[in-house]
Amino acid sequence: MRTALITGITGQDGSYLAELLLAKGYRVVGVVRRSSTTPYERIGHLVDKVELVSADLLDQTSLTDAVSEYQPDEIYNLAAQSFVQTSWTQPVLTGEFTALGVTRMLEAMKKAAPKARFYQASSSEMFGKVIESPQKESTPFYPRSPYGVAKVYGHWITVNYRESFGLYAVSGILFNHESPRRGLEFVTRKVTDAVARIKLGLATEVRLGNLDSRRDWGFAGDYVDAMWRMLQRDEPDDYVIGTGHTCSVRDLCDTAFKCVDLDYREFVKQDSKFLRPAEVDLLVADPARAREELQWTPQVNFQALVEMMVEADLARHALLGR
């Protein structure tokens, strides 16, 4: 039985990855931060099937101890301060978690389990003000937020440890991936949750920023499969993961409101407070290498993804009665 250690197991990607690995027969160990509460909503159905260890990306000793104790075959570093908007108001904390946290995990692996295989969650936000479209593995980075800058650091420190110390360490440059488990602060979930509340008479509008921003949106459940596939190859390498199709926030709103037979133009209001200091206007992946070398293709298209999210939010609000 192989052992996988996941940081960020309580997040969207961590929960889907844990499900995937358990189905493949792995022993799954999740790193969680010590807290006075237990925010295990996304993994509540898995708590009895995984092992949880207390450690923190800000604390080197706790990470090294966790890796030393469990001796994982695979390490998936998914934990981060992952909300772009927050990175503008908490840039230093974002750097500590999202950038230096990667170095601490790599150091823990180098010292305690150097034969393990390491996956770093890189991001399409590293491309930022894009130099070329679509974006592929060789496209230069031009981040446009403290989050994007921190992810570039995490990406290159992973490359550096691979080349300097011979570690099996890879980065998946994942484009936007969503699900019913996405946090309510992210635009896709903000929209689908608002659609459900408006349909049920619990709200009358939703306020958004730039409706013309375009993103390559896929399903998180598909993308964790790509993460696993990257660690199964003989030689470590980095891959762009996305659908290759782009939609605007306006398209997202239109699709989501049509799921409940409403016109988004009656309910969506633009609000300047949701505009970024530096906008990222267009992100779209070229996943050709992942398709050819990993035999990976997304299974859920944009329409099906939005419908899945709207239906889940409708069911949740109907159950809550609010």
Side-chain angles (χ1 to χ4, degrees):
M1 178 182 289
R2 286 188 286 178
T3 298
L5 185 143
I6 305 171
T7 72
I9 193 172
T10 60
Q12 170 189 253
D13 291 7
S15 65
Y16 281 111
L17 179 62
E19 287 177 348
L20 175 76
L21 296 177
L22 286 169
K24 292 182 180 293
Y26 279 70
R27 176 195 188 196
V28 176
V29 179
V31 173
V32 294
R33 300 177 67 195
R34 187 172 298 280
S35 173
S36 59
T37 59
T38 52
Y40 300 158
E41 178 184 356
R42 296 183 182 92
I43 61 166
H45 60 300
L46 301 176
V47 167
D48 294 334
K49 302 175 183 177
V50 302
E51 299 172 55
L52 300 177
V53 57
S54 179
D56 197 309
L57 285 185
L58 301 185
D59 183 66
Q60 182 68 65
T61 300
S62 67
L63 296 176
T64 304
D65 287 349
V67 173
S68 178
E69 178 181 355
Y70 290 97
Q71 288 296 302
D73 300 285
E74 299 172 3
I75 299 171
Y76 295 86
N77 186 43
L78 309 185
Q81 190 300 99
S82 60
F83 188 41
V84 174
Q85 194 71 29
T86 296
S87 78
W88 291 106
T89 56
Q90 299 183 28
V92 175
L93 182 66
T94 298
E96 285 287 350
F97 272 115
T98 308
L100 291 179
V102 186
T103 311
R104 295 186 187 103
M105 278 305 307
L106 286 164
E107 274 293 298
M109 172 177 156
K110 181 165 70 81
K111 291 179 179 178
K115 299 300 183 184
R117 296 188 171 198
F118 181 89
Y119 172 86
Q120 164 59 15
S122 286
S123 168
S124 60
E125 287 287 333
M126 301 189 304
F127 295 122
K129 188 176 181 180
V130 297
I131 306 299
E132 63 179 358
S133 286
Q135 294 87 55
K136 52 184 181 289
E137 289 81 3
S138 59
T139 301
F141 300 138
Y142 195 145
R144 297 271 280 173
S145 67
Y147 171 79
V149 172
K151 279 294 187 182
V152 169
Y153 176 97
H155 180 89
W156 282 117
I157 201 67
T158 302
V159 172
N160 188 264
Y161 269 63
R162 178 170 74 218
E163 296 179 349
S164 300
F165 304 114
L167 300 180
Y168 192 111
V170 307
S171 286
I173 307 174
L174 271 57
F175 280 64
N176 294 64
H177 46 290
E178 319 296 322
S179 76
R181 301 178 192 174
R182 190 58 141 156
L184 286 166
E185 68 273 22
F186 291 88
V187 67
T188 47
R189 187 74 193 289
K190 182 178 179 179
V191 168
T192 63
D193 180 72
V195 166
R197 288 187 292 112
I198 289 169
K199 181 64 176 179
L200 295 171
L202 305 173
T204 58
E205 66 176 28
V206 58
R207 292 185 171 269
L208 303 172
N210 183 5
L211 299 183
D212 297 315
S213 288
R214 302 185 69 85
R215 293 292 185 271
D216 183 332
W217 277 302
F219 173 50
D222 289 338
Y223 286 41
V224 299
D225 177 56
M227 299 177 188
W228 176 78
R229 288 171 185 258
M230 285 182 218
L231 294 192
Q232 310 315 307
R233 291 183 58 78
D234 292 337
E235 298 297 327
D237 206 350
D238 308 321
Y239 290 90
V240 160
I241 303 297
T243 70
H245 302 284
T246 183
C247 297
S248 68
V249 176
R250 195 181 306 276
D251 296 330
L252 166 67
C253 293
D254 185 39
T255 302
F257 277 90
K258 280 182 177 175
C259 290
V260 294
D261 300 318
L262 295 176
D263 186 337
Y264 81 94
R265 291 170 293 187
E266 298 179 20
F267 305 100
V268 174
K269 311 296 182 186
Q270 286 194 274
D271 190 330
S272 61
K273 79 176 183 180
F274 295 114
L275 296 175
R276 296 182 181 184
E279 282 290 340
V280 174
D281 297 316
L282 170 67
L283 293 174
V284 57
D286 178 359
R289 282 191 59 232
R291 186 168 55 246
E292 294 165 10
E293 298 180 16
L294 302 178
Q295 285 76 56
W296 177 85
T297 55
Q299 303 300 304
V300 179
N301 64 26
F302 178 73
Q303 177 77 33
L305 171 64
V306 175
E307 289 175 357
M308 175 200 309
M309 294 176 67
V310 170
E311 288 171 4
D313 280 320
L314 280 169
R316 181 172 60 88
H317 283 292
L319 185 63
L320 291 172
R322 58 180 176 82

